[in-house]
Amino acid sequence: MALRVGVVGGGQLARMMIAPAVELGLDLRVLAEEERMAASLAATEVGDYRDADTVLAFAKEVDVVTFDHEHVPQDVLAVLVDAGIAVHPGPDALAVAQDKLVMRARLAELGMPQPDWAAVTGPDELQAFLDAHGGRAVVKTPRGGYDGKGVRVVGAATEADDWFAALAEDARGGALLVEELVDFSRELAQQVARRPSGEIAVYPVVETIQRDGVCAEVLAPAPKASERLLEVAARIGVEIAQGLGVTGMLAVELFETTDERLLVNELAMRPHNSGHWTQDGAVTSQFEQHLRAVLDLPLGDSSPSAPWSVMVNVLGGPEHDSLDDRFAAAMAECPDAKIHTYGKAPRPGRKVGHVNVAGDDLDDVVYRARAAASFFLD
Ligand code: ADP
């Protein structure tokens, strides 16, 4: 019988596991939030991932449960583990990706390089941090942020008043995360895959370019990366995967500082936007690798299959409600571009697809990837 993988969450990351699952002969099933989601091409059940009975019933029909996102509550994960179900990544690792304060504390225990940070419960504590860090800092809500939502640069403690007020109303109480405003020259991402039995595969560190807090482009490998940078980034990825017991794909978002240090920004324990280039530029894509890892199968070769790969995200805009008309034009003009779409309605700012181009010359690859993606811009 085919090995069965259950993915909680029906977004594009689950969708992009479908092709390699078909190729590997796996039976991929999805627990989606609603009908007609990106991953509904696979066998899909609709249900609430916050409801333990729903997730347990889904999980009992598969050999391993994995995720399209990190939001499944810990009490639901505990029910699965108690029922003897294989869950990868496991609850302890996921807890670190679910809460940025937990993440900062665990990374500190592991001795990982990261920005100065503190947990602040009110404006006085925030002001004290600001005073100690040149008057500007980055405040983050520990849970539920994505694509820059829940991240704010502040120059005065009053600028976080609304978030402190929200904390006061939250029965769980808690704190905000404040970090030094890092003077970075660029942002990088290091991906590794780790199986439950310990094998690790390391991808080359990549450069990620963000616009308005959203990943816009990825250059793989990171241009002008010295051997030392590649090594240090890889070591950080491996030590975090091992230290936290991550299973499946791990992405470590990094800042490269102007004085050439690497600092960990955040973690994702699933395939990640910074690794979409691997679909067309690596021997084993991150989606295939994630499936192999969570099933505890031998990992694939994570080497690049071309000297350079560039990924450009396609975001929905206000002008059109379908990508269909853009497709043929992009295909005709850019036959070497690999166009990936997520089957999502293109609302403004929403990630609806991406374009990958691989080749020998970085400038040429960047040009061709942007040219292909430009057909989808308004
Ligand atoms: P999200 O969880 O929404 O992706 P991040 O914590 O990754 O949020 O922050 C989003 C972006 O904000 C980062 O990609 C980076 O550009 C900027 N940023 C975050 N933390 C800092 C920091 N400490 N110093 C400088 N810039 C930061």
Side-chain angles (χ1 to χ4, degrees):
M1 198 173 71
L3 290 166
R4 300 160 304 174
V5 179
V7 185
V8 179
Q12 65 260 26
L13 301 177
R15 177 189 180 94
M16 290 186 274
M17 293 178 205
I18 298 172
V22 170
E23 289 164 1
L24 293 171
L26 306 174
D27 177 356
L28 190 90
R29 305 180 187 186
V30 173
L31 180 64
E33 295 82 339
E34 51 191 88
E35 305 281 353
R36 287 185 295 282
M37 289 194 66
S40 301
L41 295 170
T44 300
E45 197 178 299
V46 175
D48 186 352
Y49 63 79
R50 293 163 300 191
D51 180 66
D53 292 342
T54 302
V55 182
L56 183 61
F58 172 77
K60 280 187 169 158
E61 302 300 319
V62 296
D63 297 301
V64 61
V65 171
T66 190
F67 309 94
D68 164 89
H69 58 70
E70 286 118 351
H71 307 314
V72 178
Q74 284 289 325
D75 55 342
V76 174
L77 298 171
V79 168
L80 303 187
V81 171
D82 287 349
I85 287 161
V87 179
H88 294 297
D92 292 348
L94 272 175
V96 181
Q98 287 174 333
D99 187 308
K100 289 178 179 173
L101 279 170
V102 175
M103 177 191 76
R104 287 281 173 239
R106 287 290 286 128
L107 290 176
E109 283 169 15
L110 293 176
M112 288 295 120
Q114 52 180 347
D116 274 349
W117 65 280
V120 287
T121 54
D124 292 348
E125 288 174 12
L126 176 54
Q127 192 59 52
F129 188 92
L130 282 166
D131 293 344
H133 291 85
R136 272 157 66 78
V138 181
V139 181
K140 301 185 179 185
T141 52
R143 303 180 75 91
Y146 67 97
D147 285 350
K149 297 173 180 61
V151 174
R152 197 181 281 172
V153 178
V154 302
T158 49
E159 290 171 48
D161 278 351
D162 52 337
W163 284 353
F164 283 124
L167 277 187
E169 278 167 27
D170 188 334
R172 291 173 302 179
L176 298 176
L177 169 64
V178 58
E179 297 175 358
E180 74 175 285
L181 181 63
V182 176
D183 187 12
F184 59 82
S185 52
R186 58 177 175 170
E187 294 188 64
L188 304 173
Q190 174 66 55
Q191 287 192 299
V192 302
R194 182 173 173 275
R195 307 166 55 175
S197 53
E199 187 193 359
I200 289 188
V202 179
Y203 287 87
V205 69
V206 301
E207 178 171 347
T208 63
I209 299 166
Q210 336 283 325
R211 266 179 226 123
D212 300 328
V214 182
C215 176
E217 296 182 5
V218 171
L219 314 179
K224 300 196 181 84
S226 63
E227 278 302 311
R228 189 167 168 280
L229 175 76
L230 291 166
E231 265 173 44
V232 172
R235 187 151 29 97
I236 289 172
V238 168
E239 286 183 9
I240 292 175
Q242 289 174 332
L244 301 180
V246 179
T247 41
M249 287 296 305
L250 166 71
V252 182
E253 296 180 9
L254 296 160
F255 298 125
E256 185 178 19
T257 63
T258 47
D259 57 355
E260 293 183 350
R261 289 172 304 139
L262 291 183
L263 302 176
V264 177
N265 177 27
E266 68 167 343
L267 308 178
M269 296 181 193
R270 50 176 167 71
H272 187 250
N273 202 165
S274 64
H276 291 356
W277 67 276
T278 60
Q279 291 172 305
D280 303 299
V283 177
T284 309
S285 82
Q286 62 164 343
F287 300 100
E288 175 177 344
Q289 199 75 286
H290 187 72
L291 293 170
R292 293 164 78 130
V294 299
L295 283 164
D296 207 10
L297 292 169
L299 300 178
D301 184 347
S302 52
S303 314
S305 52
W308 296 104
S309 294
V310 172
M311 189 261 358
V312 180
N313 270 336
V314 174
L315 302 184
E319 297 294 322
H320 56 90
D321 60 3
S322 160
L323 296 180
D324 299 352
D325 52 336
R326 316 291 172 116
F327 246 159
M331 286 175 175
E333 292 298 320
C334 309
D336 55 339
K338 309 302 284 184
I339 301 168
H340 299 258
T341 60
Y342 308 155
K344 290 160 68 172
R347 287 202 295 269
R350 191 182 202 200
K351 290 176 187 167
V352 291
H354 65 272
V355 172
N356 287 332
V357 176
D360 294 334
D361 180 76
L362 178 60
D363 289 343
D364 179 54
V365 174
V366 169
Y367 179 83
R368 289 188 286 138
R370 286 184 187 161
S374 71
F375 283 90
F376 300 99
L377 302 176
D378 293 305

Coordinates of all heavy atoms in Angstrom, one line a residue, residues 100 103-104 115-116 137-141 144-153 177-184 187 208 210 212-215 253-255 263-267 272, ligand 1:
K100 N 7.4 33.8 18.8 CA 8.8 34.4 18.6 C 9.5 34.6 19.9 O 10.7 34.7 19.9 CB 8.6 35.7 17.8 CG 8.2 35.5 16.4 CD 8.1 36.8 15.6 CE 7.7 36.5 14.1 NZ 7.3 37.7 13.4
M103 N 10.9 31.3 20.6 CA 12.1 31.1 19.7 C 13.3 31.8 20.2 O 14.4 31.2 20.2 CB 11.7 31.6 18.3 CG 12.8 31.5 17.3 SD 12.4 32.4 15.8 CE 12.7 34.1 16.3
R104 N 13.2 33.1 20.5 CA 14.4 33.8 21.0 C 15.0 33.2 22.2 O 16.3 33.1 22.3 CB 14.0 35.3 21.3 CG 13.7 36.1 20.1 CD 15.0 36.6 19.4 NE 14.7 37.2 18.1 CZ 15.2 36.8 17.0 NH1 16.0 35.8 16.9 NH2 15.0 37.5 15.9
P115 N 19.7 39.0 17.1 CA 19.7 40.4 17.6 C 19.5 40.5 19.1 O 18.9 39.6 19.7 CB 18.4 41.0 16.9 CG 18.1 40.1 15.7 CD 18.6 38.7 16.2
D116 N 19.9 41.6 19.7 CA 19.5 41.8 21.1 C 18.0 41.8 21.2 O 17.4 42.4 20.3 CB 20.0 43.2 21.6 CG 21.4 43.2 22.0 OD1 22.0 42.1 22.2 OD2 22.0 44.3 22.2
A137 N 13.8 50.6 17.7 CA 13.8 49.2 17.9 C 12.7 48.6 17.1 O 11.8 49.3 16.5 CB 13.7 48.8 19.3
V138 N 12.6 47.3 17.0 CA 11.6 46.6 16.3 C 10.7 45.8 17.3 O 11.2 45.0 18.0 CB 12.2 45.6 15.2 CG1 11.1 44.9 14.4 CG2 13.1 46.3 14.3
V139 N 9.4 46.1 17.3 CA 8.5 45.4 18.2 C 7.7 44.4 17.4 O 7.3 44.7 16.2 CB 7.5 46.4 18.8 CG1 6.6 45.7 19.8 CG2 8.3 47.5 19.6
K140 N 7.5 43.2 18.0 CA 6.8 42.2 17.2 C 5.8 41.5 18.2 O 6.0 41.3 19.4 CB 7.8 41.1 16.8 CG 8.9 41.6 15.9 CD 9.8 40.5 15.4 CE 10.8 41.0 14.4 NZ 11.7 40.0 13.8
T141 N 4.6 41.2 17.6 CA 3.7 40.3 18.3 C 4.2 38.9 18.2 O 4.6 38.5 17.2 CB 2.3 40.4 17.7 OG1 2.4 40.2 16.3 CG2 1.7 41.8 17.9
G144 N 1.3 34.6 15.5 CA 0.3 34.9 14.5 C 0.7 35.8 13.4 O 0.0 36.1 12.5
G145 N 2.0 36.4 13.5 CA 2.4 37.3 12.4 C 2.9 36.6 11.2 O 3.3 35.5 11.2
Y146 N 2.8 37.2 10.0 CA 3.3 36.7 8.8 C 3.5 37.9 7.8 O 2.8 38.9 7.9 CB 2.5 35.6 8.2 CG 1.1 36.1 7.7 CD1 0.9 36.4 6.4 CD2 0.1 36.3 8.6 CE1 -0.3 36.9 5.9 CE2 -1.1 36.8 8.2 CZ -1.3 37.0 6.8 OH -2.5 37.5 6.4
D147 N 4.4 37.7 6.9 CA 4.6 38.7 5.8 C 4.6 40.1 6.4 O 4.1 41.1 5.8 CB 3.4 38.6 4.8 CG 3.6 37.4 3.8 OD1 4.6 36.8 3.9 OD2 2.6 37.1 3.1
G148 N 5.3 40.3 7.5 CA 5.5 41.6 8.1 C 4.4 42.1 8.9 O 4.5 43.2 9.5
K149 N 3.2 41.4 8.9 CA 2.2 41.9 9.8 C 2.6 41.5 11.2 O 3.0 40.3 11.5 CB 0.8 41.2 9.4 CG 0.4 41.6 8.0 CD -0.8 40.8 7.6 CE -1.2 41.2 6.2 NZ -0.2 40.9 5.2
G150 N 2.4 42.4 12.2 CA 2.9 42.1 13.5 C 4.4 42.4 13.7 O 5.0 42.0 14.7
V151 N 4.9 43.3 12.8 CA 6.3 43.8 13.0 C 6.2 45.3 12.8 O 5.6 45.8 11.8 CB 7.2 43.2 11.9 CG1 8.6 43.8 12.0 CG2 7.3 41.7 12.1
R152 N 6.8 46.0 13.7 CA 6.7 47.5 13.7 C 8.0 48.1 14.2 O 8.5 47.8 15.2 CB 5.6 47.9 14.6 CG 5.1 49.3 14.3 CD 4.0 49.7 15.3 NE 2.7 49.1 14.9 CZ 1.6 49.2 15.7 NH1 1.7 49.7 16.9 NH2 0.4 48.7 15.3
V153 N 8.6 49.0 13.4 CA 9.8 49.8 13.8 C 9.2 51.0 14.7 O 8.3 51.7 14.2 CB 10.6 50.3 12.6 CG1 11.8 51.1 13.2 CG2 11.1 49.1 11.8
L177 N 7.6 41.1 21.9 CA 9.0 40.9 21.7 C 9.6 42.2 21.2 O 9.0 42.8 20.3 CB 9.2 39.8 20.6 CG 10.7 39.6 20.1 CD1 11.7 39.2 21.1 CD2 10.7 38.6 18.9
V178 N 10.7 42.7 21.7 CA 11.3 43.8 21.1 C 12.8 43.4 20.8 O 13.4 42.6 21.5 CB 11.3 45.1 22.1 CG1 12.0 44.8 23.4 CG2 12.0 46.3 21.4
E179 N 13.2 43.9 19.6 CA 14.5 43.5 19.1 C 15.3 44.8 18.7 O 14.7 45.8 18.3 CB 14.4 42.7 17.9 CG 13.8 41.3 18.1 CD 13.6 40.5 16.8 OE1 13.9 41.0 15.7 OE2 13.1 39.4 16.9
E180 N 16.6 44.7 18.8 CA 17.4 45.8 18.3 C 17.1 46.0 16.8 O 16.8 45.0 16.1 CB 18.9 45.6 18.5 CG 19.4 44.5 17.5 CD 20.9 44.3 17.6 OE1 21.7 45.1 17.1 OE2 21.3 43.3 18.1
L181 N 17.1 47.2 16.3 CA 16.9 47.4 14.8 C 18.3 47.1 14.1 O 19.3 47.8 14.3 CB 16.6 48.9 14.6 CG 16.3 49.3 13.2 CD1 15.1 48.6 12.5 CD2 16.1 50.8 13.1
V182 N 18.3 45.9 13.5 CA 19.6 45.4 12.9 C 19.9 46.2 11.7 O 19.1 46.4 10.8 CB 19.4 43.9 12.6 CG1 20.7 43.4 11.9 CG2 19.1 43.1 13.8
D183 N 21.2 46.6 11.6 CA 21.7 47.3 10.4 C 22.2 46.2 9.5 O 23.4 45.9 9.5 CB 22.8 48.2 10.9 CG 23.3 49.1 9.8 OD1 22.6 49.2 8.7 OD2 24.4 49.7 10.0
F184 N 21.3 45.7 8.7 CA 21.7 44.6 7.8 C 22.0 45.1 6.4 O 21.4 46.0 5.9 CB 20.7 43.4 7.8 CG 19.3 43.8 7.4 CD1 19.0 43.8 6.0 CD2 18.3 44.0 8.3 CE1 17.7 44.1 5.6 CE2 17.0 44.3 7.9 CZ 16.7 44.3 6.6
E187 N 19.3 40.2 3.5 CA 18.6 39.1 4.2 C 18.9 37.8 3.4 O 18.9 37.8 2.2 CB 17.1 39.4 4.3 CG 16.8 40.6 5.2 CD 15.4 40.8 5.5 OE1 14.8 39.9 6.2 OE2 14.8 41.8 5.1
T208 N 17.4 36.6 0.1 CA 15.9 36.9 -0.1 C 15.8 38.4 -0.2 O 16.4 39.2 0.6 CB 15.1 36.3 1.0 OG1 15.5 37.0 2.2 CG2 15.3 34.8 1.1
Q210 N 13.0 41.4 0.1 CA 11.6 41.7 0.6 C 11.2 43.0 0.1 O 12.0 44.0 0.1 CB 11.5 41.7 2.1 CG 12.5 40.9 2.9 CD 12.3 39.4 2.9 OE1 11.1 39.0 2.8 NE2 13.3 38.6 2.8
D212 N 8.0 45.6 1.2 CA 6.8 45.8 2.1 C 6.6 44.6 3.0 O 5.5 44.2 3.2 CB 5.5 46.1 1.3 CG 5.7 47.3 0.4 OD1 6.4 48.3 0.8 OD2 5.1 47.4 -0.7
G213 N 7.7 44.1 3.5 CA 7.6 43.0 4.4 C 7.3 41.6 3.8 O 7.1 40.6 4.4
V214 N 7.2 41.6 2.4 CA 6.8 40.3 1.7 C 8.0 39.9 0.8 O 8.6 40.8 0.2 CB 5.6 40.5 0.8 CG1 5.2 39.2 0.2 CG2 4.4 41.1 1.7
C215 N 8.3 38.6 0.8 CA 9.4 38.1 0.0 C 9.0 38.4 -1.5 O 8.0 38.1 -2.0 CB 9.6 36.6 0.2 SG 10.8 35.9 -0.9
E253 N 15.7 32.2 8.6 CA 15.8 33.5 8.0 C 17.0 34.2 8.8 O 17.0 34.3 10.0 CB 14.5 34.3 8.1 CG 13.4 33.7 7.3 CD 12.1 34.5 7.4 OE1 12.1 35.6 7.9 OE2 11.1 34.0 6.9
L254 N 17.9 34.8 8.0 CA 19.1 35.4 8.6 C 19.2 36.9 8.1 O 18.9 37.2 7.0 CB 20.3 34.6 8.1 CG 20.4 33.2 8.6 CD1 21.4 32.4 7.7 CD2 20.9 33.1 10.0
F255 N 19.8 37.7 9.0 CA 20.3 39.0 8.6 C 21.8 38.9 8.4 O 22.5 38.3 9.3 CB 20.1 40.1 9.6 CG 18.6 40.3 9.9 CD1 18.2 40.2 11.2 CD2 17.7 40.6 8.9 CE1 16.8 40.4 11.5 CE2 16.4 40.9 9.2 CZ 15.9 40.7 10.5
L263 N 22.8 36.9 11.8 CA 21.9 36.9 13.0 C 20.7 36.2 12.6 O 20.1 36.5 11.5 CB 21.6 38.3 13.5 CG 22.8 39.2 13.9 CD1 22.4 40.6 14.2 CD2 23.6 38.6 15.0
V264 N 20.1 35.4 13.4 CA 18.9 34.6 13.1 C 17.7 35.6 13.3 O 17.5 36.2 14.3 CB 18.7 33.4 14.0 CG1 17.4 32.7 13.6 CG2 19.9 32.4 13.8
N265 N 16.9 35.7 12.2 CA 15.7 36.5 12.3 C 14.5 35.6 12.8 O 14.0 35.8 13.8 CB 15.3 37.2 11.0 CG 14.0 38.0 11.1 OD1 13.6 38.4 12.2 ND2 13.3 38.1 10.0
E266 N 14.1 34.6 11.9 CA 13.1 33.7 12.4 C 13.2 32.4 11.7 O 14.0 32.2 10.8 CB 11.7 34.3 12.3 CG 11.2 34.6 10.9 CD 9.7 34.9 10.9 OE1 9.0 34.6 11.9 OE2 9.2 35.4 9.9
L267 N 12.3 31.4 12.2 CA 12.4 30.1 11.7 C 11.0 29.7 11.1 O 10.0 30.1 11.6 CB 12.6 29.1 12.9 CG 13.8 29.4 13.8 CD1 13.8 28.4 15.0 CD2 15.1 29.4 13.1
H272 N 9.4 26.6 2.5 CA 9.3 28.0 2.7 C 9.5 28.7 1.4 O 10.2 28.2 0.5 CB 10.5 28.3 3.7 CG 10.6 29.8 4.2 ND1 11.5 30.6 3.8 CD2 9.8 30.4 5.0 CE1 11.4 31.8 4.4 NE2 10.3 31.7 5.1
Ligands
ADP1 P1 7.1 37.9 9.7 O1 7.0 36.9 10.7 O2 5.9 38.7 9.5 O3 7.8 37.4 8.4 P2 9.7 39.0 10.5 O4 10.1 38.8 11.9 O5 10.4 38.0 9.5 O6 8.2 38.9 10.3 O7 10.0 40.5 10.0 C1 9.6 40.9 8.7 C2 10.7 41.8 8.1 O8 11.0 42.9 9.0 C3 12.1 41.2 8.0 O9 12.2 40.4 6.8 C4 13.0 42.3 8.0 O10 13.1 43.0 6.8 C5 12.3 43.3 9.0 N1 12.9 43.0 10.4 C6 12.4 42.1 11.3 N2 13.1 42.1 12.4 C7 14.1 43.1 12.3 C8 15.1 43.6 13.1 N3 15.3 43.2 14.3 N4 15.9 44.6 12.6 C9 15.7 45.1 11.3 N5 14.7 44.7 10.5 C10 13.9 43.7 11.0

